[in-house]
Protein backbone atom coordinates (compact mmCIF):
# COMPACT_ATOMS: atom_id res chain seq x y z
CA UNK A 1 0.00 0.00 0.00
CA UNK A 2 1.23 3.47 -0.95
CA UNK A 3 -0.26 6.25 1.20
CA UNK A 4 -0.33 9.55 -0.71
CA UNK A 5 -0.99 12.90 0.97
CA UNK A 6 -1.81 15.93 -1.15
CA UNK A 7 -3.37 13.65 -3.75
CA UNK A 8 -6.00 16.22 -4.75
CA UNK A 9 -3.25 18.60 -5.97
CA UNK A 10 -1.14 18.58 -9.12
CA UNK A 11 1.91 16.76 -7.76
CA UNK A 12 0.13 14.36 -5.43
CA UNK A 13 -2.44 13.63 -8.12
CA UNK A 14 0.31 12.77 -10.59
CA UNK A 15 1.89 10.43 -8.03
CA UNK A 16 -1.40 8.67 -7.39
CA UNK A 17 -2.23 8.22 -11.09
CA UNK A 18 1.22 6.84 -11.93
CA UNK A 19 1.10 4.30 -9.12
CA UNK A 20 -2.42 3.22 -10.08
CA UNK A 21 -1.37 2.83 -13.71
CA UNK A 22 1.44 0.56 -12.50
CA UNK A 23 -1.14 -1.64 -10.79
CA UNK A 24 -0.04 -0.70 -7.28
CA UNK A 25 -2.43 -0.25 -4.33
CA UNK A 26 -2.90 3.41 -3.38
CA UNK A 27 -4.42 4.97 -0.29
CA UNK A 28 -5.62 8.52 -0.94
CA UNK A 29 -5.24 10.65 2.19
CA UNK A 30 -7.81 13.46 1.93
CA UNK A 31 -9.35 16.07 4.20
CA UNK A 32 -12.95 14.96 3.68
CA UNK A 33 -14.82 12.13 2.05
CA UNK A 34 -16.11 14.23 -0.85
CA UNK A 35 -12.55 14.92 -1.99
CA UNK A 36 -11.82 11.21 -2.02
CA UNK A 37 -14.81 10.07 -4.11
CA UNK A 38 -13.07 10.32 -7.48
CA UNK A 39 -10.02 8.49 -6.13
CA UNK A 40 -12.18 5.78 -4.60
CA UNK A 41 -13.90 5.37 -7.98
CA UNK A 42 -10.44 5.01 -9.55
CA UNK A 43 -9.66 2.11 -7.24
CA UNK A 44 -7.99 3.77 -4.26
CA UNK A 45 -8.46 3.07 -0.61
CA UNK A 46 -9.42 6.37 1.03
CA UNK A 47 -8.35 7.67 4.45
CA UNK A 48 -9.72 10.86 5.99
CA UNK A 49 -7.17 13.02 7.80
CA UNK A 50 -6.16 16.62 8.04
CA UNK A 51 -2.42 17.12 7.93
CA UNK A 52 -2.25 18.53 11.47
CA UNK A 53 -4.08 15.56 13.05
CA UNK A 54 -1.47 13.06 14.21
CA UNK A 55 -4.04 10.47 15.30
CA UNK A 56 -5.87 10.49 11.96
CA UNK A 57 -2.59 10.43 10.04
CA UNK A 58 -1.40 7.45 12.06
CA UNK A 59 -4.52 5.57 10.97
CA UNK A 60 -4.01 6.73 7.37
CA UNK A 61 -0.38 5.54 7.31
CA UNK A 62 -0.95 2.23 9.11
CA UNK A 63 0.05 -0.75 6.98
CA UNK A 64 1.58 1.39 4.23
CA UNK A 65 4.76 0.19 2.58
CA UNK A 66 5.63 3.76 1.57
CA UNK A 67 4.26 7.22 2.38
CA UNK A 68 4.38 10.34 0.25
CA UNK A 69 4.41 13.50 2.38
CA UNK A 70 3.32 16.80 0.89
CA UNK A 71 2.92 19.74 3.26
CA UNK A 72 -0.11 21.92 2.45
CA UNK A 73 1.37 25.09 0.90
CA UNK A 74 1.21 28.18 3.10
CA UNK A 75 2.07 31.20 0.98
CA UNK A 76 1.25 33.83 3.63
CA UNK A 77 2.46 32.25 6.87
CA UNK A 78 2.38 33.93 10.25
CA UNK A 79 5.80 34.76 11.71
CA UNK A 80 7.55 31.62 12.90
CA UNK A 81 5.55 29.37 10.52
CA UNK A 82 3.12 27.99 13.14
CA UNK A 83 0.88 26.48 10.44
CA UNK A 84 3.63 24.36 8.94
CA UNK A 85 5.14 23.50 12.33
CA UNK A 86 1.81 21.97 13.41
CA UNK A 87 1.72 19.82 10.25
CA UNK A 88 5.36 18.75 10.57
CA UNK A 89 4.82 17.75 14.21
CA UNK A 90 1.74 15.70 13.31
CA UNK A 91 3.40 13.94 10.36
CA UNK A 92 6.48 13.16 12.45
CA UNK A 93 4.36 11.72 15.24
CA UNK A 94 2.33 9.59 12.82
CA UNK A 95 5.40 8.18 11.06
CA UNK A 96 6.99 7.44 14.43
CA UNK A 97 3.85 5.63 15.60
CA UNK A 98 3.45 3.49 12.47
CA UNK A 99 6.70 3.54 10.49
CA UNK A 100 6.48 2.52 6.83
CA UNK A 101 9.36 0.93 4.95
CA UNK A 102 10.22 4.31 3.40
CA UNK A 103 9.07 7.91 3.08
CA UNK A 104 9.32 10.35 0.20
CA UNK A 105 8.73 13.97 1.19
CA UNK A 106 8.30 16.84 -1.24
CA UNK A 107 10.75 19.55 -0.27
CA UNK A 108 12.18 22.37 -2.41
CA UNK A 109 15.25 23.93 -3.92
CA UNK A 110 16.80 26.08 -1.22
CA UNK A 111 15.45 24.06 1.72
CA UNK A 112 18.96 24.16 3.18
CA UNK A 113 19.15 27.98 3.20
CA UNK A 114 19.66 29.46 6.66
CA UNK A 115 18.57 32.96 5.66
CA UNK A 116 14.96 33.77 6.65
CA UNK A 117 12.57 33.15 3.76
CA UNK A 118 9.33 31.38 2.81
CA UNK A 119 11.06 28.09 2.02
CA UNK A 120 12.29 27.70 5.60
CA UNK A 121 9.03 25.80 6.13
CA UNK A 122 10.43 22.91 4.09
CA UNK A 123 13.74 23.13 5.91
CA UNK A 124 11.82 22.60 9.15
CA UNK A 125 10.23 19.51 7.66
CA UNK A 126 13.56 18.10 6.48
CA UNK A 127 15.16 18.53 9.88
CA UNK A 128 12.23 16.91 11.70
CA UNK A 129 11.67 13.93 9.38
CA UNK A 130 15.42 13.45 9.04
CA UNK A 131 15.51 12.31 12.67
CA UNK A 132 13.31 9.29 11.91
CA UNK A 133 15.05 5.93 11.96
CA UNK A 134 13.80 4.83 8.56
CA UNK A 135 14.62 5.48 4.90
CA UNK A 136 13.55 9.05 4.01
CA UNK A 137 14.05 10.79 0.67
CA UNK A 138 13.63 14.52 0.32
CA UNK A 139 12.73 15.51 -3.23
CA UNK A 140 13.88 19.08 -3.89
CA UNK A 141 12.42 20.38 -7.17
CA UNK A 142 13.22 23.73 -8.70
CA UNK A 143 10.73 26.56 -9.23
CA UNK A 144 7.46 25.10 -10.53
CA UNK A 145 6.84 26.01 -14.17
CA UNK A 146 3.11 26.06 -13.40
CA UNK A 147 3.64 29.19 -11.29
CA UNK A 148 3.43 30.88 -14.70
CA UNK A 149 -0.36 30.49 -14.58
CA UNK A 150 -0.37 33.93 -12.96
CA UNK A 151 1.30 35.33 -16.07
CA UNK A 152 -1.25 34.21 -18.65
CA UNK A 153 -3.58 37.20 -18.31
CA UNK A 154 -0.98 40.01 -18.46
CA UNK A 155 0.89 38.26 -21.27
CA UNK A 156 -2.30 37.71 -23.26
CA UNK A 157 -3.95 41.06 -22.60
CA UNK A 158 -1.00 43.44 -22.42
CA UNK A 159 2.01 41.63 -23.89
CA UNK A 160 3.81 41.99 -20.54
CA UNK A 161 5.25 39.51 -18.10
CA UNK A 162 5.64 41.27 -14.72
CA UNK A 163 8.58 39.60 -13.01
CA UNK A 164 9.78 39.41 -9.42
CA UNK A 165 12.70 37.31 -10.68
CA UNK A 166 15.51 39.64 -11.73
CA UNK A 167 17.47 40.38 -13.83
CA UNK A 168 15.15 39.03 -16.47
CA UNK A 169 17.94 37.32 -18.41
CA UNK A 170 19.07 35.29 -15.38
CA UNK A 171 17.92 31.66 -15.58
CA UNK A 172 16.99 29.53 -12.57
CA UNK A 173 16.13 25.82 -12.29
CA UNK A 174 12.46 25.24 -13.14
CA UNK A 175 10.53 21.98 -13.46
CA UNK A 176 7.03 20.90 -14.45
CA UNK A 177 4.75 19.39 -11.82
CA UNK A 178 4.27 16.35 -14.08
CA UNK A 179 7.98 15.61 -13.75
CA UNK A 180 7.88 16.17 -10.00
CA UNK A 181 5.05 13.67 -9.67
CA UNK A 182 6.80 11.16 -11.92
CA UNK A 183 10.07 11.27 -9.98
CA UNK A 184 8.25 11.10 -6.64
CA UNK A 185 6.42 7.98 -7.82
CA UNK A 186 9.73 6.45 -8.93
CA UNK A 187 11.34 7.18 -5.57
CA UNK A 188 8.43 5.60 -3.68
CA UNK A 189 9.17 2.33 -5.48
CA UNK A 190 12.94 2.38 -4.90
CA UNK A 191 14.91 0.90 -2.00
CA UNK A 192 17.61 2.65 0.02
CA UNK A 193 18.94 3.07 3.54
CA UNK A 194 19.03 6.24 5.61
CA UNK A 195 18.37 9.71 4.30
CA UNK A 196 18.78 10.92 0.74
CA UNK A 197 18.24 14.23 -1.05
CA UNK A 198 17.26 14.35 -4.72
CA UNK A 199 17.53 17.65 -6.59
CA UNK A 200 15.18 17.85 -9.57
CA UNK A 201 15.36 20.35 -12.43
CA UNK A 202 13.72 20.54 -15.83
CA UNK A 203 15.44 20.05 -19.19
CA UNK A 204 16.98 23.54 -18.93
CA UNK A 205 17.04 26.50 -16.56
CA UNK A 206 14.55 29.23 -17.44
CA UNK A 207 14.81 33.02 -17.21
CA UNK A 208 11.90 35.48 -17.26
CA UNK A 209 13.02 36.37 -20.78
CA UNK A 210 12.77 32.68 -21.73
CA UNK A 211 9.33 32.56 -20.17
CA UNK A 212 8.26 35.62 -22.16
CA UNK A 213 9.48 33.91 -25.34
CA UNK A 214 7.39 30.84 -24.49
CA UNK A 215 4.31 33.03 -24.08
CA UNK A 216 5.17 34.85 -27.29
CA UNK A 217 5.16 31.54 -29.15
CA UNK A 218 1.96 30.31 -27.49
CA UNK A 219 0.02 33.56 -27.98
CA UNK A 220 1.49 34.55 -31.36
CA UNK A 221 2.04 38.15 -30.34
CA UNK A 222 4.90 40.06 -28.65
CA UNK A 223 5.45 39.47 -24.92
CA UNK A 224 8.23 41.08 -22.91
CA UNK A 225 9.39 40.49 -19.34
CA UNK A 226 9.07 43.56 -17.12
CA UNK A 227 10.92 43.57 -13.78
CA UNK A 228 8.86 44.73 -10.81
CA UNK A 229 10.94 47.17 -8.70
CA UNK A 230 11.89 45.73 -5.30
CA UNK A 231 10.45 48.85 -3.66
CA UNK A 232 6.99 47.98 -5.02
CA UNK A 233 6.86 44.36 -3.85
CA UNK A 234 5.32 44.83 -0.42
CA UNK A 235 2.49 47.07 -1.66
CA UNK A 236 1.77 44.67 -4.50
CA UNK A 237 1.63 41.64 -2.22
CA UNK A 238 -0.57 43.43 0.30
CA UNK A 239 -2.90 44.43 -2.52
CA UNK A 240 -3.20 40.69 -3.24
CA UNK A 241 -4.43 40.20 0.33
CA UNK A 242 -1.22 39.04 1.99
CA UNK A 243 -0.82 39.97 5.64
CA UNK A 244 2.77 38.79 6.09
CA UNK A 245 4.59 39.35 2.78
CA UNK A 246 8.13 39.57 4.17
CA UNK A 247 9.00 35.87 3.97
CA UNK A 248 7.84 35.70 0.36
CA UNK A 249 9.90 38.76 -0.49
CA UNK A 250 12.92 37.19 1.20
CA UNK A 251 12.44 34.04 -0.88
CA UNK A 252 12.48 36.09 -4.09
CA UNK A 253 15.60 37.87 -2.85
CA UNK A 254 17.16 34.44 -2.38
CA UNK A 255 16.53 33.44 -5.98
CA UNK A 256 17.69 36.81 -7.30
CA UNK A 257 20.81 36.90 -5.14
CA UNK A 258 21.65 33.25 -5.76
CA UNK A 259 21.52 31.84 -2.23
CA UNK A 260 18.40 29.85 -3.00
CA UNK A 261 19.91 27.26 -5.31
CA UNK A 262 20.73 23.59 -5.57
CA UNK A 263 23.64 22.53 -3.41
CA UNK A 264 25.02 20.33 -6.19
CA UNK A 265 26.34 17.73 -3.75
CA UNK A 266 23.25 15.49 -3.84
CA UNK A 267 21.66 13.15 -6.34
CA UNK A 268 20.59 15.03 -9.45
CA UNK A 269 17.67 14.20 -11.73
CA UNK A 270 16.15 16.01 -14.71
CA UNK A 271 12.62 16.26 -15.98
CA UNK A 272 11.60 16.04 -19.62
CA UNK A 273 8.74 18.58 -19.86
CA UNK A 274 9.80 21.92 -21.36
CA UNK A 275 8.65 25.40 -20.44
CA UNK A 276 7.10 25.75 -23.92
CA UNK A 277 4.92 22.70 -23.31
CA UNK A 278 3.76 23.98 -19.92
CA UNK A 279 3.01 27.49 -21.20
CA UNK A 280 1.03 26.15 -24.15
CA UNK A 281 -1.03 24.10 -21.72
CA UNK A 282 -1.63 27.05 -19.41
CA UNK A 283 -2.74 29.27 -22.31
CA UNK A 284 -5.06 26.54 -23.60
CA UNK A 285 -6.60 26.07 -20.13
CA UNK A 286 -7.20 29.81 -19.79
CA UNK A 287 -8.83 29.92 -23.23
CA UNK A 288 -11.13 27.03 -22.36
CA UNK A 289 -12.19 28.50 -19.01
Amino acid sequence: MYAITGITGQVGGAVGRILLQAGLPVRAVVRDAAKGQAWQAAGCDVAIATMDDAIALTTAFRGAEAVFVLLPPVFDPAPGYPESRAVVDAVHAALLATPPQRVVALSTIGAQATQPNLLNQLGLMERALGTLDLPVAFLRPGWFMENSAWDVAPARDHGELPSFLQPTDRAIPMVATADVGRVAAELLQERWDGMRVVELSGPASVSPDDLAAAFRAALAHPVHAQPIPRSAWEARFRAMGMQHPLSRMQMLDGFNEGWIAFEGTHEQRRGAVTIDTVVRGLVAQASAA
Side-chain angles (χ1 to χ4, degrees), residues 182 208 245:
R182 175 183 57 79

Side-chain angles (χ1 to χ4, degrees), residues 105-256:
L106 183 63
S107 188
T108 180
I109 184 174
Q112 78 284 352
T114 57
Q115 299 91 327
N117 78 95
L118 187 66
L119 304 183
N120 291 155
Q121 297 171 92
L122 283 308
L124 292 169
M125 178 196 69
E126 287 196 9
R127 288 191 291 276
L129 300 191
T131 65
L132 294 168
D133 187 21
L134 53 85
V136 180
F138 296 112
L139 177 57
R140 293 182 181 174
W143 181 284
F144 282 5
M145 292 179 182
E146 281 77 6
N147 290 339
S148 303
W150 295 97
D151 301 317
V152 173
R156 179 193 59 211
D157 300 339
H158 306 292
E160 294 184 354
L161 192 92
S163 180
F164 295 103
L165 296 174
Q166 301 162 23
T168 60
D169 62 353
R170 183 175 182 274
I172 65 169
M174 293 192 186
V175 65
T177 54
D179 281 325
V180 180
R182 175 183 57 79
V183 172
E186 291 172 356
L187 291 172
L188 283 166
Q189 299 172 75
E190 295 176 5
R191 302 287 191 275
W192 70 92
D193 294 319
M195 189 185 79
R196 66 195 286 202
V197 174
V198 179
E199 297 178 334
L200 175 62
S201 58
S205 293
V206 179
S207 71
D209 288 341
D210 296 330
L211 186 57
F215 273 104
R216 187 158 55 246
L219 295 166
H221 67 66
V223 178
H224 301 284
Q226 300 290 335
I228 302 170
R230 177 66 168 74
S231 59
W233 289 4
E234 181 173 358
R236 184 174 285 244
F237 284 136
R238 290 192 181 278
M240 295 176 184
M242 292 187 69
Q243 298 181 19
H244 309 287
L246 179 59
S247 63
R248 190 169 182 179
M249 294 166 61
Q250 291 168 326
M251 176 194 72
L252 292 164
D253 286 336
F255 277 105
N256 293 341

